[in-house]
Amino acid sequence: MIRVGPSGWTHPRLADVWPIRRGPTFDPLAFLAGHFGCIEVDITAHAVPRPQHVTRWKAALAEAPERTRLLVKLPLTLGELARPVEERRQTLEATAAALRPLLGRDRLGALVLTLGDGVLHGAAETRWIAGVARAFSGAPLVLEAAHPSWYESRALDAVGGAGWSLAHVEPPDRWDAPPRRHRPTGPIGMLRLLA
């Protein structure tokens, strides 16, 4: 099944698509969930979500078609591997606890981990993403990597072996951009189009 959807529901430009009569009970996530097959939770890239927010997201999808899924971005801290390991571990534990109500549910399309631009593929990096996968055992996982080293055959094997589907990212016009196409590493195909 192909699902298309926006990255978030709080961007100011989205105000142009909301219904004109939006009462005090208007929920933008519930509105978008009725029109799209997936919606990315982008705010979680910048902060560990609060449990009450996760509960609210689940409630907002209650009336949406069954096909609608959330793609939840994991905190960027988890993909910035130059940060101290202990800081990343604390963020990982807090995020796993906060997202527990969504894990294993039929409304979770995937958890998305974005690696920093300068993160090259290597043994330590593979161990880290495997540890993140264990923290979210059973959840569908998508890895976004900007460095071309993640698209070489050995890296693709490692990504798939660690339990991740490597996303296709619309590459920027740079000599060191990732390739436009690569072989799949897992069951989820994700294409991120840059605006």
Side-chain angles (χ1 to χ4, degrees):
M1 172 176 287
I2 296 175
R3 294 182 174 92
V4 177
S7 176
W9 58 90
T10 59
H11 194 281
R13 287 188 188 168
L14 286 173
D16 297 338
V17 301
W18 301 144
I20 292 178
R21 294 184 185 158
R22 306 182 282 225
T25 61
F26 176 73
D27 184 338
L29 175 56
F31 175 78
L32 289 174
H35 294 33
F36 291 98
C38 70
I39 301 159
E40 186 174 74
V41 183
D42 187 60
I43 192 71
T44 52
H46 309 289
V48 174
R50 294 182 180 158
Q52 62 266 31
H53 292 164
V54 176
T55 301
R56 192 171 66 224
W57 302 335
K58 280 179 51 179
L61 295 180
E63 300 299 319
E66 283 188 30
R67 73 181 191 297
T68 305
R69 302 286 187 272
L70 292 177
L71 297 176
V72 180
K73 289 202 77 158
L74 294 173
L76 294 174
T77 305
L78 297 178
E80 295 170 353
L81 303 189
R83 288 184 181 259
V85 174
E86 190 53 37
E87 178 185 350
R88 286 184 277 137
R89 280 195 184 120
Q90 289 174 357
T91 302
L92 179 59
E93 290 171 8
T95 304
L99 293 177
R100 194 162 287 121
L102 274 180
L103 300 180
R105 304 287 184 203
D106 59 345
R107 293 300 187 160
L108 179 63
L111 297 174
V112 181
L113 175 63
T114 303
L115 297 177
D117 282 352
V119 176
L120 283 73
H121 173 260
E125 293 76 14
T126 299
R127 282 193 300 276
W128 174 251
I129 65 169
V132 173
R134 282 190 300 277
F136 297 108
S137 181
L141 303 168
V142 173
L143 182 69
E144 288 185 347
H147 195 274
S149 63
W150 288 92
Y151 298 87
E152 296 170 4
S153 183
R154 201 161 116 191
L156 293 172
D157 291 342
V159 168
W164 294 88
S165 297
L166 187 61
H168 287 77
V169 180
E170 181 182 42
D173 287 333
R174 294 185 342 212
W175 68 271
D176 63 345
R180 290 192 179 277
R181 292 191 175 101
H182 60 80
R183 69 175 164 85
T185 61
I188 300 171
M190 180 175 151
L191 171 62
R192 175 168 308 284
L193 300 175
L194 305 174

